[in-house]
Amino acid sequence: MSRLIFILLFITTWTFCEVIDDNNKNIVDCLILEDENSIICKYTHERQEEEKEIVVQWIDPSGNLSRERRLIIPSGHGSIYDFRYIEGRQKGLWQFKLLDNNINISTTFKIQ
């Protein structure tokens, strides 16, 4: 009986994971590492055979563009990172935006 429950649980989890992966091919996420004084933002996308250029923007709590960078994602790569130091950043709710051709996605994080 417990084997049957385990098998059903495994199949359900596997199916759920596949649905999430299919619907979320382009994701941005930021991680604050206070012990390392760092903010790391990652863009995950569907791998492509050609390199492509993206634009990342860091928008401060006042709504001002703090930094804009053009980055090249090499062919075959599935993600790219950008980071900044926490120290010296304005406190409040920040926005990390990513522009990839016709894809515009963003996330927010809070510096306290």
Side-chain angles (χ1 to χ4, degrees):
M1 182 68 175
S2 63
R3 286 180 94 183
L4 179 62
I5 292 172
F6 176 76
I7 291 170
L8 288 174
L9 182 62
F10 178 76
I11 292 171
T12 304
T13 305
W14 182 261
T15 304
F16 181 69
C17 290
E18 289 296 315
V19 170
I20 288 176
D21 188 47
D22 288 343
N23 291 332
N24 296 316
K25 294 183 180 178
N26 298 300
I27 301 168
V28 292
D29 192 26
C30 294
L31 180 64
I32 298 176
L33 302 172
E34 291 185 24
D35 58 330
E36 296 181 18
N37 188 33
S38 298
I39 307 160
I40 302 170
C41 294
K42 177 182 177 181
Y43 171 51
T44 306
H45 67 99
E46 189 172 351
R47 295 176 190 267
Q48 296 181 355
E49 293 183 19
E50 297 177 5
E51 71 177 30
K52 66 178 176 176
E53 182 179 79
I54 61 162
V55 176
V56 295
Q57 297 176 334
W58 296 75
I59 300 169
D60 69 22
S62 302
N64 299 319
L65 182 64
S66 174
R67 174 163 82 174
E68 180 175 274
R69 292 183 69 193
R70 294 186 179 281
L71 302 170
I72 302 289
I73 301 177
S75 63
H77 285 239
S79 64
I80 194 162
Y81 297 85
D82 194 22
F83 78 95
R84 300 193 73 183
Y85 293 109
I86 297 171
E87 191 174 316
R89 302 280 153 249
Q90 184 178 358
K91 299 200 182 318
L93 192 62
W94 282 72
Q95 184 178 21
F96 179 79
K97 289 177 107 175
L98 187 122
L99 313 168
D100 178 0
N101 292 328
N102 60 348
I103 299 169
N104 297 327
I105 51 179
S106 67
T107 189
T108 58
F109 58 92
K110 190 172 187 176
I111 297 177
Q112 299 183 24

